mmCIF file of all heavy atoms in Angstrom:
data_model
loop_
_atom_site.group_PDB
_atom_site.id
_atom_site.type_symbol
_atom_site.label_atom_id
_atom_site.label_comp_id
_atom_site.label_asym_id
_atom_site.label_seq_id
_atom_site.Cartn_x
_atom_site.Cartn_y
_atom_site.Cartn_z
ATOM 1 N N ALA J 52 -12.283 5.241 0.774
ATOM 2 C CA ALA J 52 -10.830 5.202 0.968
ATOM 3 C C ALA J 52 -10.476 4.277 2.181
ATOM 4 O O ALA J 52 -11.318 4.110 3.077
ATOM 5 C CB ALA J 52 -10.279 6.557 1.154
ATOM 6 N N TRP J 53 -9.296 3.787 2.147
ATOM 7 C CA TRP J 53 -8.727 3.125 3.329
ATOM 8 C C TRP J 53 -7.925 4.171 4.099
ATOM 9 O O TRP J 53 -7.485 5.110 3.548
ATOM 10 C CB TRP J 53 -7.826 1.982 2.930
ATOM 11 C CG TRP J 53 -8.542 0.850 2.233
ATOM 12 C CD1 TRP J 53 -9.240 -0.167 2.819
ATOM 13 C CD2 TRP J 53 -8.728 0.692 0.854
ATOM 14 N NE1 TRP J 53 -9.800 -0.997 1.859
ATOM 15 C CE2 TRP J 53 -9.510 -0.465 0.633
ATOM 16 C CE3 TRP J 53 -8.295 1.405 -0.332
ATOM 17 C CZ2 TRP J 53 -9.866 -0.910 -0.625
ATOM 18 C CZ3 TRP J 53 -8.680 0.938 -1.576
ATOM 19 C CH2 TRP J 53 -9.463 -0.228 -1.666
ATOM 20 N N TRP J 54 -7.791 3.960 5.408
ATOM 21 C CA TRP J 54 -6.986 4.879 6.206
ATOM 22 C C TRP J 54 -6.297 4.098 7.322
ATOM 23 O O TRP J 54 -6.653 2.984 7.680
ATOM 24 C CB TRP J 54 -7.824 5.960 6.738
ATOM 25 C CG TRP J 54 -8.913 5.563 7.707
ATOM 26 C CD1 TRP J 54 -10.171 5.120 7.336
ATOM 27 C CD2 TRP J 54 -8.865 5.491 9.162
ATOM 28 N NE1 TRP J 54 -10.890 4.802 8.500
ATOM 29 C CE2 TRP J 54 -10.096 5.023 9.631
ATOM 30 C CE3 TRP J 54 -7.875 5.803 10.080
ATOM 31 C CZ2 TRP J 54 -10.363 4.803 10.956
ATOM 32 C CZ3 TRP J 54 -8.141 5.606 11.402
ATOM 33 C CH2 TRP J 54 -9.361 5.148 11.841
ATOM 34 N N GLU J 55 -5.219 4.700 7.823
ATOM 35 C CA GLU J 55 -4.479 4.114 8.965
ATOM 36 C C GLU J 55 -3.963 5.266 9.854
ATOM 37 O O GLU J 55 -3.759 6.338 9.366
ATOM 38 C CB GLU J 55 -3.338 3.255 8.517
ATOM 39 C CG GLU J 55 -2.206 3.993 7.798
ATOM 40 C CD GLU J 55 -1.060 3.102 7.408
ATOM 41 O OE1 GLU J 55 -0.910 2.030 7.948
ATOM 42 O OE2 GLU J 55 -0.392 3.508 6.452
ATOM 43 N N THR J 56 -3.896 4.963 11.102
ATOM 44 C CA THR J 56 -3.266 5.949 12.029
ATOM 45 C C THR J 56 -1.776 5.932 11.755
ATOM 46 O O THR J 56 -1.160 4.954 11.473
ATOM 47 C CB THR J 56 -3.568 5.526 13.534
ATOM 48 O OG1 THR J 56 -3.246 4.181 13.785
ATOM 49 C CG2 THR J 56 -5.012 5.755 13.841
ATOM 50 N N LEU J 57 -1.199 7.144 11.861
ATOM 51 C CA LEU J 57 0.179 7.281 11.534
ATOM 52 C C LEU J 57 1.011 7.877 12.659
ATOM 53 O O LEU J 57 1.991 7.297 13.130
ATOM 54 C CB LEU J 57 0.239 8.213 10.284
ATOM 55 C CG LEU J 57 1.554 8.243 9.522
ATOM 56 C CD1 LEU J 57 1.864 6.826 8.965
ATOM 57 C CD2 LEU J 57 1.419 9.225 8.382
ATOM 58 N N ASP J 58 0.643 9.024 13.145
ATOM 59 C CA ASP J 58 1.396 9.716 14.187
ATOM 60 C C ASP J 58 0.487 10.399 15.171
ATOM 61 O O ASP J 58 -0.106 11.386 14.806
ATOM 62 C CB ASP J 58 2.330 10.720 13.491
ATOM 63 C CG ASP J 58 3.177 11.474 14.533
ATOM 64 O OD1 ASP J 58 3.548 10.823 15.542
ATOM 65 O OD2 ASP J 58 3.537 12.637 14.302
ATOM 66 N N PRO J 59 0.268 9.852 16.368
ATOM 67 C CA PRO J 59 0.844 8.664 16.886
ATOM 68 C C PRO J 59 0.052 7.448 16.326
ATOM 69 O O PRO J 59 -0.995 7.617 15.706
ATOM 70 C CB PRO J 59 0.584 8.754 18.365
ATOM 71 C CG PRO J 59 -0.624 9.588 18.484
ATOM 72 C CD PRO J 59 -0.552 10.619 17.340
ATOM 73 N N GLU J 60 0.563 6.239 16.528
ATOM 74 C CA GLU J 60 -0.123 5.041 16.020
ATOM 75 C C GLU J 60 -1.411 4.805 16.740
ATOM 76 O O GLU J 60 -2.316 4.166 16.189
ATOM 77 C CB GLU J 60 0.791 3.843 16.102
ATOM 78 C CG GLU J 60 1.920 3.871 15.106
ATOM 79 C CD GLU J 60 2.703 2.605 15.064
ATOM 80 O OE1 GLU J 60 2.313 1.586 15.715
ATOM 81 O OE2 GLU J 60 3.732 2.594 14.436
ATOM 82 N N VAL J 61 -1.500 5.253 17.939
ATOM 83 C CA VAL J 61 -2.768 5.113 18.770
ATOM 84 C C VAL J 61 -3.197 6.515 19.130
ATOM 85 O O VAL J 61 -2.425 7.214 19.848
ATOM 86 C CB VAL J 61 -2.520 4.215 19.990
ATOM 87 C CG1 VAL J 61 -3.801 4.143 20.800
ATOM 88 C CG2 VAL J 61 -2.084 2.831 19.608
ATOM 89 N N ILE J 62 -4.378 6.896 18.766
ATOM 90 C CA ILE J 62 -4.888 8.249 19.051
ATOM 91 C C ILE J 62 -5.910 8.090 20.188
ATOM 92 O O ILE J 62 -6.998 7.441 19.984
ATOM 93 C CB ILE J 62 -5.551 8.896 17.856
ATOM 94 C CG1 ILE J 62 -4.471 9.020 16.686
ATOM 95 C CG2 ILE J 62 -6.083 10.272 18.205
ATOM 96 C CD1 ILE J 62 -5.105 9.415 15.390
ATOM 97 N N GLY J 63 -5.625 8.493 21.384
ATOM 98 C CA GLY J 63 -6.530 8.346 22.510
ATOM 99 C C GLY J 63 -7.597 9.406 22.562
ATOM 100 O O GLY J 63 -7.521 10.422 21.802
#
Side-chain angles (χ1 to χ4, degrees):
W53 293 276
W54 63 275
E55 68 180 334
T56 50
L57 196 63
D58 182 30
E60 288 188 8
V61 178
I62 302 169

